[in-house]
């Protein structure tokens, strides 16, 4: 819910979970919640992108050539053409354990990133498939990104 913040204990529990070896997988509007609404401030380490703006459009997700063998991208057709809300911004800067980009859009904007955080893993997709009746979750490659992210974090 982009109109309501998660309670602080819930936020802290997610951070503890990841630090202890768990995996946190998210898509947008998580960076919007942090950067525009001031929500989820206890979870900033789990939000890999900073929010600039968002637009509903057709676009493609393209793996970086040097990351094409990453386990999260295994079996994913390329490029992935979808219609959804694409969010723009940049990778969030962290003092340690930086994020790495795995995919960009056709214009070179980061769209999928992963971060090792303490003992756990964070995966963020910089798109939303749950806004304006988007159907991109029906796309087999998007589904594969999510299932691969779960497997990667195990």
């Amino acid at each position: 819910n982009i109109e309501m913040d998660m309670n602080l204990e819930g936020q802290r529990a997610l951070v503890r979970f990841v630090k202890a070896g768990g995996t946190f997988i998210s898509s947008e509007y998580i960076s919007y919640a942090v950067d525009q609404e001031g929500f989820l401030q206890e979870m900033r380490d789990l939000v890999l992108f900073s929010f600039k703006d968002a637009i509903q459009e057709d676009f493609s997700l393209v793996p970086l050539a040097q990351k094409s063998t990453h386990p999260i991208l295994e079996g994913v057709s390329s490029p992935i053409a979808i219609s959804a809300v694409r969010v723009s911004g940049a990778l969030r800067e962290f003092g340690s354990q930086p994020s790495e980009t795995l995919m960009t859009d056709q214009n070179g904007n980061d769209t999928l990133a992963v971060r090792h955080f303490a003992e756990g893993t964070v995966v963020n997709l910089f798109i939303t498939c749950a806004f304006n009746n988007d159907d991109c979750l029906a796309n087999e490659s998007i589904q594969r990104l999510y299932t691969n992210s779960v497997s990667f974090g195990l």
Side-chain angles (χ1 to χ4, degrees):
N1 186 339
I2 64 172
E3 298 174 0
M4 193 160 114
D5 201 2
M6 178 188 283
N7 68 57
L8 293 178
E9 191 49 43
Q11 293 178 51
R12 291 176 187 139
L14 282 171
V15 172
R16 284 192 306 271
F17 170 74
V18 174
K19 283 183 172 181
T23 299
F24 180 76
I25 302 166
S26 69
S27 62
E28 287 307 311
Y29 279 111
I30 194 166
S31 69
Y32 174 86
V34 169
D35 297 329
Q36 299 296 307
E37 298 293 337
F39 296 159
L40 307 175
Q41 294 303 302
E42 295 290 319
M43 296 176 45
R44 291 180 69 86
D45 286 323
L46 307 183
V47 182
L48 305 186
F49 294 101
S50 59
F51 182 89
K52 181 180 173 188
D53 63 18
I55 186 169
Q56 172 80 33
E57 66 180 358
D58 296 335
F59 60 98
S60 296
L61 304 178
V62 182
L64 294 178
Q66 66 272 29
K67 301 295 182 181
S68 63
T69 60
H70 193 283
I72 291 177
L73 301 176
E74 184 179 326
V76 173
S77 64
S78 174
I80 304 170
I82 59 172
S83 179
V85 174
R86 181 187 56 78
V87 183
S88 66
L91 281 181
R92 193 174 299 280
E93 296 289 326
F94 296 103
S96 63
Q97 298 179 299
S99 304
E100 66 176 306
T101 299
L102 301 181
M103 297 182 90
T104 63
D105 66 17
Q106 71 273 10
N107 299 318
N109 299 303
D110 298 326
T111 56
L112 176 65
V114 63
R115 179 181 189 211
H116 296 286
F117 177 59
E119 299 300 316
T121 304
V122 180
V123 180
N124 282 178
L125 241 168
F126 209 29
I127 62 172
T128 181
C129 290
F131 195 75
N132 292 335
N133 298 315
D134 300 325
D135 64 358
C136 66
L137 284 177
N139 182 298
E140 289 183 20
S141 288
I142 296 294
Q143 293 171 7
R144 179 73 106 166
L145 288 175
Y146 277 104
T147 57
N148 287 353
S149 295
V150 171
S151 297
F152 178 71
L154 295 177

